[in-house]
């Protein structure tokens, strides 16, 4: 009898330990919609410390509850407050935020490379361009009093955000993965872009195992014809 009670108690304790971080993360959602400065003060009072930023988000770690919280700030407010992984806060394990941040960094590298092809190579222009790119990518308010480099970067960031949204649409994802991956690689080569830059934003099933995909590589477009096994028959500029 005593042994059974001990096992039950141990099970309850284990369940509580697993559930505690989830409950703690959920509790912080009352800050969603709050102004960022006041919300940050609240996070600190609740035992959180800012672990890092990346991928357009902040990651807060609570050492007492072993909880990582992901915060997205938009227009000066906490737009979303969700549970992050331990890795997101740099505490070991895989980091979803780091993966997303790396993918978006590739987009910025490609955009900067395209800009340099047009002859815009000054360090000041690059800095303004990168700031505008990140604002456009994450939907920040457009600064109308900034430079031409900022404007160009903002447009490129908006375009990249639209590309990523289109890529995640169900009808695009329904195309065979081998075909999508093959066209992504070929489009990167075709546009001389860093690997991982290109994404399909529109797909058409041509029947008999053939697909036509519109590929986005930053501002640039191409049309890829591929079979379901991933054999690219041709790739052409998109007009």
């Amino acid at each position: 009898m005593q042994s059974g009670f001990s096992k039950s108690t141990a099970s309850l304790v284990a369940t509580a330990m697993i559930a505690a971080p989830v409950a703690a993360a959920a509790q912080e959602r009352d800050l969603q919609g709050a102004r960022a400065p006041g919300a940050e003060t609240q996070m600190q009072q609740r035992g959180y410390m800012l672990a890092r930023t990346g991928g357009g988000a902040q990651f807060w770690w609570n050492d007492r509850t072993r909880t990582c919280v992901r915060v997205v700030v938009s227009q000066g407010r906490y737009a979303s407050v969700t549970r992050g992984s331990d890795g997101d806060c740099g505490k070991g394990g895989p980091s979803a935020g780091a993966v997303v941040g790396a993918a978006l960094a590739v987009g910025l590298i490609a955009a900067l490379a395209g800009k340099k092809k047009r002859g815009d190579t000054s360090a000041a222009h690059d800095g303004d361009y990168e700031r505008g790119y990140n604002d456009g990518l994450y939907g920040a308010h457009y600064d109308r009093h900034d430079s031409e480099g900022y404007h160009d970067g903002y447009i490129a960031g908006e375009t990249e955000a639209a590309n990523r949204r289109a890529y995640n649409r169900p009808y695009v994802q329904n195309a065979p993965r081998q075909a999508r991956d093959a066209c992504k690689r070929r489009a990167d080569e075709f546009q001389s872009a860093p690997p991982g830059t290109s994404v399909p934003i529109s797909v058409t099933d041509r029947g008999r195992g053939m697909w036509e995909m519109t590929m986005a590589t930053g501002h640039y477009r191409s049309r890829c014809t591929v079979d379901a096994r991933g054999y690219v028959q041709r790739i052409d500029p998109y007009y």
Side-chain angles (χ1 to χ4, degrees):
M1 185 72 174
Q2 181 65 34
S3 175
F5 176 81
S6 298
K7 289 180 180 179
S8 299
T9 303
S11 177
L12 288 170
V13 169
T15 302
M17 291 175 66
I18 294 170
V22 178
Q27 183 180 1
E28 316 315 335
R29 290 180 189 148
D30 66 342
L31 299 177
Q32 194 160 303
R35 291 190 179 277
E40 288 180 358
T41 299
Q42 281 292 316
M43 290 291 285
Q44 292 167 356
Q45 290 177 350
R46 297 177 188 187
Y48 286 86
M49 294 183 62
L50 183 62
R52 70 176 189 87
T53 60
Q58 300 175 348
F59 295 91
W60 293 78
W61 176 256
N62 189 314
D63 199 52
R64 180 177 59 81
T65 61
R66 309 297 296 175
T67 306
C68 182
V69 171
R70 181 180 185 272
V71 174
V72 175
V73 179
S74 177
Q75 298 182 346
R77 295 181 180 273
Y78 272 25
S80 69
V81 182
T82 56
R83 172 78 190 279
S85 70
D86 289 357
D88 285 328
C89 284
K91 302 300 178 181
S95 169
V99 172
V100 172
L104 298 178
V106 168
L108 174 58
I109 291 168
L112 284 168
K115 180 179 72 68
K116 291 181 186 300
K117 287 181 183 178
R118 299 192 297 272
D120 305 322
T121 57
S122 72
H125 193 285
D126 281 359
D128 290 347
Y129 186 96
E130 182 172 350
R131 189 158 41 79
Y133 181 91
N134 285 318
D135 282 356
L137 183 64
Y138 299 121
H141 180 70
Y142 177 79
D143 187 349
R144 298 184 180 277
H145 303 291
D146 217 299
S147 65
E148 181 181 353
Y150 176 88
H151 170 79
D152 292 345
Y154 194 94
I155 298 301
E158 281 190 321
T159 300
E160 181 67 20
N163 290 346
R164 297 292 164 175
R165 288 195 298 270
Y167 175 59
N168 287 322
R169 290 171 183 163
Y171 78 90
V172 173
Q173 295 296 315
N174 284 339
R177 181 170 182 174
Q178 285 181 299
R180 285 185 279 127
D181 289 347
C183 281
K184 286 193 284 186
R185 289 191 296 270
R186 183 61 65 87
D188 286 343
E189 296 169 0
F190 186 71
Q191 303 290 4
S192 299
T197 301
S198 303
V199 293
I201 58 174
S202 178
V203 302
T204 303
D205 185 351
R206 295 300 186 189
R208 298 185 179 181
M210 296 302 302
W211 295 80
E212 184 177 279
M213 302 189 183
T214 301
M215 306 300 298
T217 311
H219 285 292
Y220 302 103
R221 299 288 185 272
S222 56
R223 182 179 285 113
C224 178
T225 304
V226 63
D227 68 20
R229 297 169 298 174
Y231 175 73
V232 176
Q233 292 197 342
R234 60 183 299 168
I235 186 163
D236 304 290
Y238 182 89
Y239 298 111

